[in-house]
Each structure stands twice: as C-alpha cells, then as structure tokens.
Amino acid sequence: MDVVEYRPQPDQYAWTFGGAAPSHRIAPGTLLKLWTEDAFSGRITSTTDRAGGVLNLAELNPQTGPFFVEGAEPGDTLALHLVDLAPAREWGASTTVPFFGALTATDRTAMLHDALTERTWIYQLDRAANTVLFEATSVDMRLELPCNPMLGTVGVAPAGREVRSSLVPDMFGGNMDTPEMRAGVTCYLQVNVEGALFSVGDGHYRQGEGESCGTAVEGAMDVTLLVELIKGGAGPVWPRIESDTHYVTVGSSRPLEDAWRASQMGMIGWLGELYGLDRLDAYQLLTQISESPLANVVDTNYSAVTKVAKALLPPARAYGGMHSHLREQSATL
Amino acid sequence: MDVVEYRPQPDQYAWTFGGAAPSHRIAPGTLLKLWTEDAFSGRITSTTDRAGGVLNLAELNPQTGPFFVEGAEPGDTLALHLVDLAPAREWGASTTVPFFGALTATDRTAMLHDALTERTWIYQLDRAANTVLFEATSVDMRLELPCNPMLGTVGVAPAGREVRSSLVPDMFGGNMDTPEMRAGVTCYLQVNVEGALFSVGDGHYRQGEGESCGTAVEGAMDVTLLVELIKGGAGPVWPRIESDTHYVTVGSSRPLEDAWRASQMGMIGWLGELYGLDRLDAYQLLTQISESPLANVVDTNYSAVTKVAKALLPPARAYGGMHSHLREQSATL
Amino acid sequence: MDVVEYRPQPDQYAWTFGGAAPSHRIAPGTLLKLWTEDAFSGRITSTTDRAGGVLNLAELNPQTGPFFVEGAEPGDTLALHLVDLAPAREWGASTTVPFFGALTATDRTAMLHDALTERTWIYQLDRAANTVLFEATSVDMRLELPCNPMLGTVGVAPAGREVRSSLVPDMFGGNMDTPEMRAGVTCYLQVNVEGALFSVGDGHYRQGEGESCGTAVEGAMDVTLLVELIKGGAGPVWPRIESDTHYVTVGSSRPLEDAWRASQMGMIGWLGELYGLDRLDAYQLLTQISESPLANVVDTNYSAVTKVAKALLPPARAYGGMHSHLREQSATL
Amino acid sequence: MDVVEYRPQPDQYAWTFGGAAPSHRIAPGTLLKLWTEDAFSGRITSTTDRAGGVLNLAELNPQTGPFFVEGAEPGDTLALHLVDLAPAREWGASTTVPFFGALTATDRTAMLHDALTERTWIYQLDRAANTVLFEATSVDMRLELPCNPMLGTVGVAPAGREVRSSLVPDMFGGNMDTPEMRAGVTCYLQVNVEGALFSVGDGHYRQGEGESCGTAVEGAMDVTLLVELIKGGAGPVWPRIESDTHYVTVGSSRPLEDAWRASQMGMIGWLGELYGLDRLDAYQLLTQISESPLANVVDTNYSAVTKVAKALLPPARAYGGMHSHLREQSATL
C-alpha cells in the first residue's frame, strides 16, 4: 500500500476547490496521513482574540491538498474513507464572526443591524476523557462535551470550469460542515476534472447540527484516509456518505428547503440504484424512514442531510461493497 | 384524578385551531383518554384509493377536542403529557396527494408540471412485533419497520383572533408533524385565549423526518394524555417539548431556515431560563450540541426542530419539574 | 344605484378577514363611500411617537366592513372597482416598528440582534401640489413626493374556515400592500364564503415597491368603490387587478420566489382565459413581457406582482368587459 | 480616444468570470466596439431545435473579453457605459430548457417531475418598426413587441480567488439578466483583481422582468461601450447602474428576498454617499420611493433590483458626475 504523509506549510495551503496545483499525485489505493490546520488558519488562540481583529478573511479554511488521483476522469466516483480523525492540538476554538452565522444578519441576509458582539471560546481537550470543555462566560458553567472529531470540508474540483472558495459547499462537496463526516465513513464524490483534485480541511472536535454561530470547535486535525476510485458508471450528483450503519446524502443550496430537497433526490436515486425501487416507491419509503439532521445553515450554501439506517433495509452492496472493503483495509493498518 | 374519555363522532370533529366550540371543559390535572381519526378522515382504506378521488379537502386532519382548560388565561403555559399513543387500527395508510409534498410543485411552489402520479401504500400493523409493513409496488420488497407512534398535530387556539386550519403549524403548535411528539413527552404551549382550547389529532404509526411525500403512516390513534397548567410567567413563544432525555423546541415558518432559526431562538431562550446563560453563551453552546432533525417540509409552514440532550447539561427543572411530575403521575396509571 | 356611506367608529372596526359580523348587507351594483382609519389605528401622530410605546399590536390595520354581498357564493368572483381614493387627513405617518420590516430581524427571520432604533416620520400633505413631504432627520433634506394614494388591504373572507388577521395577505387578498391598488382599478377576488364578506383599509398616501421598513405613508382615506359580482365560472385562485392599461396578478407567500411564482401562474391562467394560449405559450410570452414589481417583503406573507401591458396584447374583455363597464359607471358619478 | 473593435471567434469566447486570459489590455477611456454571440452559442436557429438536443451545456453564455483595464486595482470602481446595443441578427430565439426556469423543478429546487415539454420560439426582428415578433404555437396569435436590447451579462473577475461560470450573477455582476442593463446606462462594478478583467455577453432583444422561462429573446449583439476607471475610495459591494433618470442597484442571491435585501442595502449605501442620509433615513425614504422590478428568478442566484427616480431627489453627482461625463462623450461619437 502506498502511504503518503503530508503536513503542509502555510504557504502550501490550498484556499479553493479547483484552481490549485496538486500537492501530490497519488494512485488509487493510497493511504494518506495528513495534517490539517484549523479553519481560522490558527489565528484564534485565546478567548481575548476577536475574529474581526485577528482573522484574515482571505485565509480561512486552509485545505490540505489537492491530490491528483491517477486515472480519475470526469464521471468517475472518488471514494474517500476516513480511517481516523485525531485532534492535533490540545484545544479547539469557536468564535462569533461579524455578519456570519445563522442568527445574525449576513452579507446576503443583509440588514441594518450592527454586528453581534464578538466573543471567543476556547475548548480544552481532555484526551483521557475524550472531551472538550465548554466554559460559559456569562455564568459559572463548565461542561465536558464528548469529543466527536469530524471534517467540515471534503471536496473535489468543481465542474464547469469553476473555482470555488474552500468556504463553499455544493455538488462537489466542499464545506458541508456535517457531523456525519467522521472517522469510519466513506465519502463518495463525483469526479469533475481529470485527477479529481480533492482536498480536506476544517477539522471540528465537535459540532452541533446546523453549526449555529458559524464556527464549531475548530481545531487542527491528524487525518488518516484511504483513497479509492470507482471507474465508469455515473458519479453521484450530490455527495454521498456511507457508514457501517447508514446511507447518507448531502444537498447544499439556498433556501434550506432546496438543500434538503437535493439530499432527498440524492437518496431517492441511491435507493433506486441499490434496490431497484422506482422513484415513487423510494419517495414513499423515505417519507417513513428518513433521518434529516441539518448540517450547516451558515455557509454560502446551506447543507442538509438525508440519512437512512441500513438496519431498516435489506442488505446491499453500494459501489460493489466499497465501504466494507475499505473498512477491512482500514482494520489492517 | 378526573378522567375524561372521548371518541368523537364524525360530526364532532374540529377542523381548526380556534373557532371551534369546546367539546369539554376540563380542570388542570385531568387525564384524557381520546381517540383520534386519521388525517384522511378514514377515507383511504386500500391501495386502490386515490387521494384525488376519495379525499375531501375540507375534511383533513380531524381534531379531537378542543378542550377548554379551566383557569387557563393568555400568557399561561399549557403542559400536555403524552402518556400513551396506541394504534387504534390494524393498518395505516400513506398516499401521494396531487400538488402536495416536498418533491412536487405545490399551490405555493407553483409550477407548470402536471401532478405526480397518485399511489397509495397500506401498512399492515404487526402488534406482536410492533412493526408496520412497507410493501413496494415497483419491486418485490417488503420491510418490517418499527412502529413509532406519534401525533402530527397538537395545538391551542392561535393569538390575534385568528382561526387556522388543522393543517397549519405555527406558534400555537398545530400540524408540526415532528416525530418528537411521541409517548412519554410533555409538550408546552403558550395559552393565547381563555381556556387554551387545545386539540390533538393526526396520529402517525411512523414518520421520517421531513415527511417527504406529505403523508406519514397515517392511522387512527388511542391517545392518553395528562393536562396541566402553569400559571403566570410568560408562555413559550414557540412550542417546547420535554422528554426524559431531551429539551426540544419547534419553529414553523417558510423558508425552512426561518423555521429553524425560530426553533434555535426558542432553545436559546429556554437555555437562558434554565441556566442563566446569556444569549451569546447559549448561541455558542447550541452551536456545539444542537441536534436539528427536520419535522416537516410539506405543510403550510415548514417545521424544524432544535433538540439538546439533557445528558450534556447540568440537571435542571424546567417549569418547576413539571415533566418529572407528569412522568411520575403517568407511572401510577 | 344604491349608495352606502360608512365611517366606522373605533368599536366597529374589523381586525380580521373572516370571523367578523358584516357591517352591511349590500346588493351587487352598490356604490360605497367609505372612510378607513390608518394602519396604526390613528395612534401615531407625531415624530416623537414611538411604535413600541403607542401602538397596540392587537389593533393594527383596522378594516372598514366587512360587507356581505347578496347573492355571492363560493366560487363566484367579486369585482371591486376603486372609484376614488382621497387622503382624509392632512398628513401621513411612517415609523420603524421593532422586529418588523425587510431589513431587520423579525419574529420569523429570528436573530439575536436588538431591535433597530425606533424613529417616526410625519409627511405633511400639500393638497394643491398633490404631494407629501419627506423630512429627513439626519440631514437637512426635504422632498416633495407625489401623493399616490393606494389601499394596502383589500380582501374577502378566506376559504377553509379560516380567520386571518388583517395584517395577512394570501389567496383571499388582504394585506397585499401593492401600489397597484389605486384609484381606477378593478380588483377581482374569488368568493370563498357566502356573501364574500370583503373589507378594505390600510390607506397609503404613497408607498415604494417592497414597503421596505414595513410602513408606508400611512393615512386615513376616503374610499369610493363600486361593488359587482360575477356569478359562476371559477373565481381566480390568486387576486387579479385590472387597470385601463394593465392586467395584474398578485401572489403572496414565502419565500419571495414562491409569491412571485404564484403571481406568474395566476397570469398564465389569465392569459389562457383571455386568449386561449396554452400554458407553454403563455409562459413564453410572459418571459418577454412580464413586469414584476414587488409589493411587500415585510408582511406575514410576502407579495409579488406580475403585470402585463394591454398595449402589447390584442384587445380582450376580461370578465365580459367588467372593468370597462365599471369605469363607465364611475365616470357618471 | 482609443478604440478597440473585437469580434471573437468561437475558440476565443470566455466561459467564466475570472480564470480566463484577457483578450485585450485597454486603457481607461477606451471605446469598445464588440460583438457578442447569443447565450445559446448560436446553436438554436429554428423552432424545431430543442434545447436538450442541440445545446452544449458547457458552452452557454459565451463572453466577449475579458478585458484587462490598465491601472485597475482591487477596491477601485469600474465604470462601463453602454453607448449602444444593436441586434446583430435578424432574429432572436427563446426556448424552454429541461429543468431550468422559474416555473419548473430544477437541479436545486429538485423534484420528482419530468421535465416540461421543450418548445422553441423564433422572434423575427423588424428593424424599421424596431419590434420582434412573438408567434404563438397553440393559437393564432402574432404580437409585435418593442425591441428593447439589453445585456444579460456584464461582470468582472470575482473576489476570493474564485472563478464563476458566466451563468452566475453575484457581487461581481455577471449574469444578472436585468432589463435595466440597456443602452445609455453606466454600470459600476467593484474591481476585485488587478485589471478588473471584465467581459460582456448574453444580449437580449427583449426580456420581461424575472425572465420566467429562463431564456429571453436571445440574440447576437453589437455592443458599443466606454470604459472608465474610478480610482480609490471603495467600490460598491453590489453592482450599481446609473441612467439619466434613475439610480439602480442589483442584488443576487437566494432566496429571492435576500437578493432584494442586498439591492436595498446597496441603495441605502448609495443614498448615504450621495446625500449624507443616515441609514434609517435612507431606509425610510426607500420605503416610499423604491421601485423594485425583478431581474431574474431562474439563474444560480436570483437577481432583484432597487431603483429610485432622480426626479424625486435633489441633484447629485455620483462618482464625480461620471455618468454625465460618459453621456457627453458618447454623444460625440
């Protein structure tokens, strides 16, 4: 098995999906041991740091990569299996950002309000307990919250000659900010350009569904992932995620109902592929079994998830059993 | 304990929140043993029934009630504890309805498409296994799905002199269609008019989050509930639900992000009441711990849920421990 | 011609569409000479009045009526011809209202911001010049703006047993807040209940498209209107307005694109009725000739307008030439 | 005056904003005489052509340019004065495109409907009468509609390292599809990258507000424009347009209310710059004088317009009288 280890220097970060030169050329089957900087590019380190003061808006969500996957052609499906996500620092940070977040006026939900007060929270990591510590500032409250590492951003180069900021989620994946993107899952993305050119970043030690204030417990992450390529067929229009227990689709758009509609159509397509259900039967089944946890309601596009439990469905082998295969490989590492 | 049993005759159904004469006057503390007809008013009984043919659009979502709660005044909080929800028939039904549902043009997301094909599914209930049976029509697939009874509709009379169809969810509760409304929870609603005038209906033997096609596994239900009244203070702007494990708020509006924003603001308010957190601290905490399962993306207003696990929070006694009190009472029945 | 003059006393105002007892029973063909109070119920009279201090939120948008139209049955079409709209006071008022308006957080676009500053503007009417005077508070600017009287609110009782606040626009008309509702036009509304039960109110001496801050130049109005009834056929799903120069349809919903879609579908239907165009031809024609001025982006539902110039179209007689007939009648008064 | 004439060959079209090498380097003050191909890249020529059959989705909205403006730096303001727009063919075309348009399911308002029927309309141009001919297919109706040439697409390279398809409207301008972009106006765009890199395309011989079916009367165009550069200050966040009679701002986002909010905030900013009005005064004034014609409700972002009549306002000189200056220059050509 090819193994590539990579910790990018700050001048090696990618800031876009598409448009960045590949950091590596890798073959399908490669194991990547990566390090990702946090979404703030490491500029928030203390509760006295204010987003408006220390952040560089041109340097948010640094990406590790992109990786050129040999043999990947438009229409293929890239399979990224997250073997392990481990916090790479002893703390994570979250902060309000002026005119960014779900419960504030923004550049697009444009209003006459002044920005909300800026405030920063630092979450200390307790590796033994596997928790991060929420410390309230207005009252004496300290909460040990389970550390649930996830990647906010996993994406390939977009279609249609576009180059998108690493802050954007869309059909190409990107900044979906879904807690479903955790260790043990396989993410399937349609390849849009030769080499796929995927990158990852935006590690969260923990995030609620919706990512209300716009920033999770942001932290540098050690990311171990296996890369596979599924040739031919037609890649999924919207990102898919498979875990041992669930099939998951992610839609990203505005308004939020359209993001969710996209994820639902994605799942209807997937159920059709797996079981031969026609679209009305899949619609009906989804009506009764869909789990619909929101991902983010803060980014350029909002992201919504449709999720179905494998336990409710007959056995099936998505992409020829790719997820099981990668799980097995992962177990041997 | 006062006990009222009530199985309305068809001419006794209420079709609105507000505007209907009370079926009963009850005192706080009363136990209600109710029967609710299904959302179709019992008109869909076979897979050959078509919504367009058999439904009466003026008679959907029949309500059992409304109940006039003695002593309830505007600004009080009504607490409805769902002791038990039991399917009252041996089958439930779901059907596509022309121009209704999340993945179809509707009267408001108005488009030039013809209606989707009408199709009806009947789910046989297996009481021993506690399952309902999905039978695909396009392939040979039969799935035993867990029976998870819930009430689509729990609401009080609206504020502002309004009378709303029982198909509407809003601040007064109503047709929220959230799977969170299941046995064992307590629902808190602000009282808007003297007597509160609440009603219930729209039993679902099972529903996915979002209620994609617009109709769950709809079925008549035997509903046991305890009614309590919390005087004074200020009732919650948006509906709240408390279970043994979670605090839940529901927002209903369009677009979907506004429904979710309302539920988030509802929870920020609740966390403030319970723990004294200021709004930025509550916003931050919610960012990391919110669960955000959708309720419905099909009704007049869409409904979204914000949910937090009690296990992550310090102990607290919402409404003076009302939920625990009702759970204890319920255990003695 | 029957003539009814009516200036309601404050205790005679209606506050809802539906649910209010008729103030008068009138025959089709009746001429109404009405007085309408302003949307603030006359409580804002000076630039030092603050909405939060003086308004009674339960008494906004007082309606004059409702009028029971003899012979009107569900499915009929009510035709209301605005003969004249004349300011009934020498000034109008506009004010910011906490958490109401297009560029502020609201009860539904719920956010953590404090309310915008409250400020009130009084517009003096110059009857000779037919202007209202904008006086800036932050700089020395005084602008004489043309007085363009319109009615914010024209509606019938809703369908489906509902009673809606007079602040709501929807299929029944209501608080559409479109500058198209001016003297000389005929408004067509589907009758939903026996007698139609229409009312009018919310005079604006002037309003921009969108009604940004939520309140126009609000003023009491002398309203002269002719009432006619078109029996049979099927009333329009969404409100229609006919002027000497334009056909206009109004849709009201959220998000705003759905309001506009409804107005477009309304016009596609109308063009089909007038010219026999099939829906794709009407869609195409509308693509090239639609005027789409917004009405309001502030109310419970947003309202959007689709408007086509008669000059671009072959001659036609909507509703058997009802508008011309009413114009002629109006000219004889 | 420098004059550049340019009729790109098909292999010289640009398909993106940003990311394309400049076709020319020009100095501020240059007069451009350009030719633009239609949005279909000339592939629709007959009523029997079907979008699904003949269009290449990777080759829509060909751009003429981009032009590198010497001395233009981020933060500057580019002024593009449309001297003349003249149809370059004797006909224009419009067609339904599968899953594109305002009244159809799309890739984002994703639904289970089949695509609408494809149909194509060819509009013959009558240069003497200055009309285009609508010919209905379902009935015998032929309408001579005024030819009102406009450019659907005027934009600069985006900020933030992005490259966007020429089908996208956003802060950088782009595919706004507003009928306000006609001969005689000056468009102001913030410069985001060195040289501005602007391009134009997507001529419409006529378009209704909203561009319902997604395609206007699309036609090749002879475009004459003057290029100026305003150094320093801060360019407008959202595109501005100035005509002899109006100030116009364009916002592009989803949902549609956010597009309109952006245009309103743009105008509030502009009124502040021109007259010193504080934001509440500008909000108030806009409430009474805003014209709000929609631009498009079909593109990747929807575009909405806020427009105010100069006749209602005191005289002012936006950008030091740039528009008047360009009008005068234009008159000398």
Side-chain angles (χ1 to χ4, degrees), chain B residues 15-16 57-59 106-114 160-166 168-171 238 252-255 257-259 261-262 265 268 279-280 283 301-302, chain C residues 15-16 57-59 106-114 160-166 168-171 238 252-255 257-259 261-262 265 268 279-280 283 301-302:
Chain B
W15 304 103
T16 52
L57 296 183
E59 297 193 349
T106 67
D107 61 338
R108 288 172 190 267
T109 306
M111 296 179 167
L112 290 164
H113 295 285
D114 294 327
R161 308 179 184 85
E162 289 205 315
V163 172
R164 301 307 308 275
S165 156
S166 57
V168 177
D170 210 310
M171 290 177 179
W238 290 98
S252 298
S253 196
R254 291 188 180 195
E257 54 264 38
D258 277 1
R261 282 178 177 131
M265 288 296 286
I268 284 172
R279 303 211 306 175
L280 277 187
Y283 188 32
N301 289 309
Y302 304 142
Chain C
W15 304 103
T16 51
L57 297 183
E59 297 193 351
T106 67
D107 62 337
R108 289 177 187 265
T109 306
M111 295 179 168
L112 289 165
H113 295 285
D114 293 329
R161 308 180 184 86
E162 288 206 316
V163 172
R164 299 308 307 275
S165 157
S166 57
V168 177
D170 210 311
M171 291 179 180
W238 290 98
S252 298
S253 195
R254 290 190 180 192
E257 55 263 38
D258 277 1
R261 282 178 178 132
M265 288 297 287
I268 284 172
R279 304 211 306 175
L280 277 187
Y283 187 33
N301 289 311
Y302 304 142

Side-chain angles (χ1 to χ4, degrees), chain B:
Chain B
M1 178 182 292
D2 288 346
V3 179
V4 171
E5 298 197 36
Y6 180 43
R7 177 181 173 133
Q9 295 303 306
D11 63 354
Q12 294 176 305
Y13 297 149
W15 304 103
T16 52
F17 292 100
S23 65
H24 301 76
R25 294 179 71 97
I26 59 173
T30 299
L31 179 74
L32 296 181
K33 297 188 172 183
L34 309 175
W35 179 90
T36 60
E37 179 50 285
D38 69 35
F40 303 126
S41 297
R43 288 192 176 87
I44 303 270
T45 62
S46 134
T47 58
T48 59
D49 287 333
R50 292 289 164 268
V54 306
L55 292 185
N56 178 345
L57 296 183
E59 297 193 349
L60 296 174
N61 255 17
Q63 295 293 297
T64 297
F67 297 90
F68 183 101
V69 181
E70 289 167 359
E73 294 169 300
D76 292 344
T77 300
L78 184 70
L80 300 176
H81 181 69
L82 303 187
V83 176
D84 190 51
L85 299 179
R89 287 207 184 96
E90 302 311 305
W91 51 270
S94 186
T95 182
T96 51
V97 178
F99 298 114
F100 178 65
L103 302 180
T104 169
T106 67
D107 61 338
R108 288 172 190 267
T109 306
M111 296 179 167
L112 290 164
H113 295 285
D114 294 327
L116 297 179
T117 302
E118 294 183 65
R119 193 185 290 176
T120 295
W121 294 259
I122 298 292
Y123 290 75
Q124 296 300 328
L125 176 70
D126 180 331
R127 288 190 184 270
N130 195 35
T131 57
V132 290
L133 179 66
F134 169 72
E135 299 181 83
T137 60
S138 56
V139 292
D140 180 24
M141 178 193 277
R142 297 158 57 94
L143 300 177
E144 299 283 354
L145 303 174
C147 181
N148 293 329
M150 53 161 278
L151 284 183
T153 307
V154 175
V156 293
R161 308 179 184 85
E162 289 205 315
V163 172
R164 301 307 308 275
S165 156
S166 57
L167 294 167
V168 177
D170 210 310
M171 290 177 179
F172 59 87
N175 194 24
M176 298 178 281
D177 283 322
T178 169
E180 306 296 329
M181 197 69 81
R182 60 184 192 281
V185 307
T186 305
C187 175
Y188 303 103
L189 295 166
Q190 185 175 43
V191 174
N192 299 305
V193 304
E194 199 188 347
L197 289 173
F198 78 88
S199 63
V200 299
D202 192 23
H204 297 166
Y205 296 175
R206 179 177 182 84
Q207 185 206 301
E209 294 164 358
E211 205 187 13
S212 315
C213 86
T215 60
V217 181
E218 311 283 339
M221 196 79 80
D222 289 311
V223 177
T224 309
L225 62 84
L226 274 164
V227 181
E228 271 298 350
L229 182 67
I230 300 154
K231 290 294 296 181
V237 175
W238 290 98
R240 295 177 175 176
I241 299 170
E242 185 177 358
S243 72
D244 292 355
T245 57
H246 286 83
Y247 299 109
V248 177
T249 52
V250 189
S252 298
S253 196
R254 291 188 180 195
L256 184 56
E257 54 264 38
D258 277 1
W260 185 74
R261 282 178 177 131
S263 75
Q264 290 270 302
M265 288 296 286
M267 186 59 79
I268 284 172
W270 205 356
L271 292 174
E273 294 170 27
L274 292 174
Y275 301 108
L277 289 167
D278 75 4
R279 303 211 306 175
L280 277 187
D281 265 352
Y283 188 32
Q284 170 60 215
L285 181 56
L286 211 45
T287 302
Q288 315 311 347
I289 69 172
S290 179
E291 299 172 47
S292 302
L294 296 176
N296 89 74
V297 193
V298 297
D299 293 321
T300 322
N301 289 309
Y302 304 142
S303 299
V305 163
T306 292
K307 191 173 164 182
V308 297
K310 290 182 174 180
L312 297 179
L313 295 167
R317 287 167 56 83
Y319 297 105
M322 176 61 78
H323 175 71
S324 301
H325 166 69
L326 290 165
R327 284 296 265 170
E328 284 158 22
Q329 274 208 294
S330 154
T332 67
L333 297 174

